[in-house]
Amino acid sequence: MKLTCFKALTGATLLTSALLTGCAALTPAAAPTQDALLPADWDATVAGNDDVEALAWRYLQLSLATNPTLSAQLGLAGTDSDPTLYARSLPDISPQALNRAHQRLSALREALMALEPASLSPEEQVDRRILLSKIGLDLLSLGALGEARNPLKAIGMLGEAYSGLLVRESAPLGQRLRSLHSRCRATPAYLAQLQQNFSPETVRPTGPQKQLVSPRLQGLASDTGMLRKLAPELAAQAQLTFGHRRALAADCAAAADAIQAFDSWFQETVAPRPDSDWRLGAALYQRKYALYMDYPLGPQQLLATAQRSLRERHGALVQLARRIHDRYLEEDIAAGRLRKASRLSDPQVVRNVLDKMAEDRPSVDSLIADSYALADSIVSFVQEKDLLDLPSTAKLRIEPIPAHLSGYAVAMIQTAPPFQPELDSVWFWDLPLLRQ
């Protein structure tokens, strides 16, 4: 799809623009609507429902209908009647779908609020509280937090749509590739929705968001990435027919082209706009904190506790560093490279010890192999001391981070899905970030 097709959508509906401009490639594999991914009786079974477990299941269904890319994280590819329903779908991110999600979340919250805690078992009370906090955070994200205006959120969902099918062997390879094929075919329509959402001049991402958009999009669309390289390679391994392999490669390449076109449009149209403030402000932060943390201490109380703990820990660190400094750094002191602890300030004593410790570290290139060795040694220590039961490190994979996740942190983990606990957990190192 050409960039001109994306430009033609500005200020008009997707269907109208496609008809007027001839951008037919945008519409054939449009994302299913939220209603299409929910049971027909979903809304009717929420109001007045006094079963916490049933309401929790309704929340799970709504979460998957709103964002089908969660299927890989949860280990739920579909339903009994349609086993790949979620795994082959992309989110509907139209304003109408987001408003409908808000309405349905509100209905779930009302049903849960109507339950009298005293009438519930202790387990149900805990589940009710967790659900209320999670729904509250979802509503805040759709509303005041403006997650629909966060381009990294949308790009992250698109990246997860691909990598979630390729990172783990959650289903036979052929089945996962068929789901990937469907998602690739739906990608141009998803990006067209995204462009509509970002077309108004009033939509202004933060500076950090803008900075990370292009690297992540280009990572998804690169010649060595999931769409152009990995998917065709896996299709050959899965022994798909020649026609299927060719169609999958073509549609995944078209998805990559659409991603690059969207990136160009974003950089030309959205990036030059003034940055919005990345800070939430005290009032909004308080609201998010209360829902996200669900913790007895408020932000200021927690900060005071952390500062007090920091002072205590720092004092203990200084004492330990002074006790071991001269012995630990004996060779450097003898060679005249360092002075004895008695002649140094507390910060310098600590720095000398930490600098020496830091010499024994892996390089970026050896980090993954060294991490496997460290994981094995940790498990061995825990087992030797009989501290607790641990899964085998054979269930842990340590890999470079996918491009769509790069830039968040130096490392992150995707644990085994709750509905497929037999699958691997994956620890990602952000090697490009570490090389900076």
Side-chain angles (χ1 to χ4, degrees):
M1 179 179 56
K2 296 180 180 179
L3 177 60
T4 52
C5 292
F6 278 107
K7 288 183 176 178
L9 295 175
T10 304
T13 66
L14 174 60
L15 179 58
T16 301
S17 297
L19 291 173
L20 292 177
T21 64
C23 298
L26 294 178
T27 56
T33 64
Q34 190 182 115
D35 286 340
L37 295 175
L38 281 174
D41 64 346
W42 190 94
D43 294 281
T45 57
V46 170
N49 196 321
D50 60 358
D51 187 335
V52 175
E53 184 175 351
L55 291 173
W57 185 245
R58 293 292 178 264
Y59 173 73
L60 188 60
Q61 290 174 325
L62 179 60
S63 297
L64 285 163
T66 305
N67 178 14
T69 69
L70 289 173
S71 59
Q73 298 178 30
L74 296 173
L76 287 173
T79 63
D80 291 340
S81 60
D82 192 342
T84 64
L85 175 64
Y86 306 124
R88 67 175 188 267
S89 303
L90 287 180
D92 180 356
I93 55 173
S94 65
Q96 297 85 352
L98 297 177
N99 288 336
R100 190 69 176 126
H102 195 284
Q103 294 170 2
R104 284 172 163 150
L105 285 167
S106 298
L108 267 175
R109 182 171 63 179
E110 290 177 8
L112 286 164
M113 290 294 293
L115 300 181
E116 179 57 48
S119 67
L120 304 176
S121 69
E123 293 80 5
E124 289 174 329
Q125 292 179 34
V126 171
D127 288 344
R128 175 181 177 272
R129 181 185 180 105
I130 292 173
L131 280 168
L132 284 172
S133 294
K134 189 67 178 72
I135 291 170
L137 185 60
D138 290 346
L139 288 169
L140 188 65
S141 296
L142 285 171
L145 291 179
E147 284 297 305
R149 300 185 297 275
N150 180 351
L152 300 183
K153 176 77 171 180
I155 294 168
M157 289 194 295
L158 192 59
E160 182 62 25
Y162 309 139
S163 67
L165 294 168
L166 302 178
V167 167
R168 293 191 182 96
E169 297 179 358
S170 56
L173 179 57
Q175 177 180 315
R176 288 184 283 129
L177 288 173
R178 284 189 288 273
S179 294
L180 176 69
H181 192 180
S182 295
R183 283 178 168 175
C184 283
R185 290 177 58 238
T187 294
Y190 175 84
L191 292 171
Q193 284 187 334
L194 184 59
Q195 180 176 329
Q196 280 191 301
N197 293 348
F198 278 83
S199 289
E201 173 64 29
T202 52
V203 178
R204 298 176 177 181
T206 67
Q209 288 170 355
K210 293 179 186 177
Q211 184 180 2
L212 291 170
V213 163
S214 191
R216 292 187 182 167
L217 287 172
Q218 291 304 316
L220 289 175
S222 71
D223 291 339
T224 59
M226 290 182 287
L227 298 180
R228 298 191 193 274
K229 185 175 186 293
L230 181 58
E233 290 176 349
L234 290 175
Q237 296 177 23
Q239 298 180 339
L240 300 180
T241 65
F242 174 76
H244 194 174
R245 292 201 306 269
R246 183 171 60 180
L248 184 147
D251 287 331
C252 286
D257 291 341
I259 290 170
Q260 289 180 318
F262 176 82
D263 184 32
S264 296
W265 175 84
F266 187 92
Q267 299 307 321
E268 293 174 7
T269 307
V270 181
R273 297 173 186 167
D275 297 345
S276 66
D277 192 352
W278 58 267
R279 300 170 182 84
L280 296 181
L284 189 52
Y285 180 83
Q286 289 268 11
R287 292 174 61 189
K288 181 178 180 180
Y289 174 96
L291 293 166
Y292 191 87
M293 299 294 288
D294 194 14
Y295 191 63
L297 299 181
Q300 295 304 319
Q301 295 172 302
L302 183 60
L303 177 61
T305 301
Q307 290 172 332
R308 183 170 60 252
S309 177
L310 179 62
R311 289 191 296 269
E312 294 171 355
R313 299 293 180 181
H314 181 263
L317 179 63
V318 169
Q319 291 181 10
L320 177 60
R322 283 200 171 276
R323 189 166 72 247
I324 69 172
H325 182 277
D326 292 356
R327 183 176 73 257
Y328 185 51
L329 302 170
E330 184 176 3
E331 292 184 6
D332 294 289
I333 293 172
R337 291 187 293 269
L338 295 175
R339 293 181 294 173
K340 290 188 174 184
S342 59
R343 301 176 60 189
L344 299 173
S345 65
D346 288 345
Q348 190 58 56
V349 170
V350 172
R351 173 54 54 197
N352 286 350
V353 172
L354 294 179
D355 285 346
K356 187 66 175 180
M357 294 174 62
E359 292 177 4
D360 182 18
R361 68 182 188 275
S363 67
V364 174
D365 293 329
S366 70
L367 185 56
I368 290 179
D370 290 339
S371 296
Y372 271 118
L374 179 60
D376 287 336
S377 68
I378 292 173
V379 170
S380 296
F381 176 84
V382 171
Q383 292 175 338
E384 179 185 339
K385 302 298 182 181
D386 196 22
L387 300 178
L388 70 160
D389 294 330
L390 286 177
S392 167
T393 52
K395 303 295 293 182
L396 173 67
R397 287 161 44 199
I398 304 173
E399 300 175 355
I401 202 164
H404 71 281
L405 293 176
S406 180
Y408 284 107
V410 296
M412 65 176 63
I413 190 168
Q414 290 186 353
T415 56
F419 289 94
Q420 287 184 301
E422 73 279 4
L423 297 182
D424 296 341
S425 295
V426 188
W427 177 273
F428 292 120
W429 280 113
D430 196 335
L431 301 184
L433 188 62
L434 288 168
R435 285 194 172 96
Q436 292 180 3

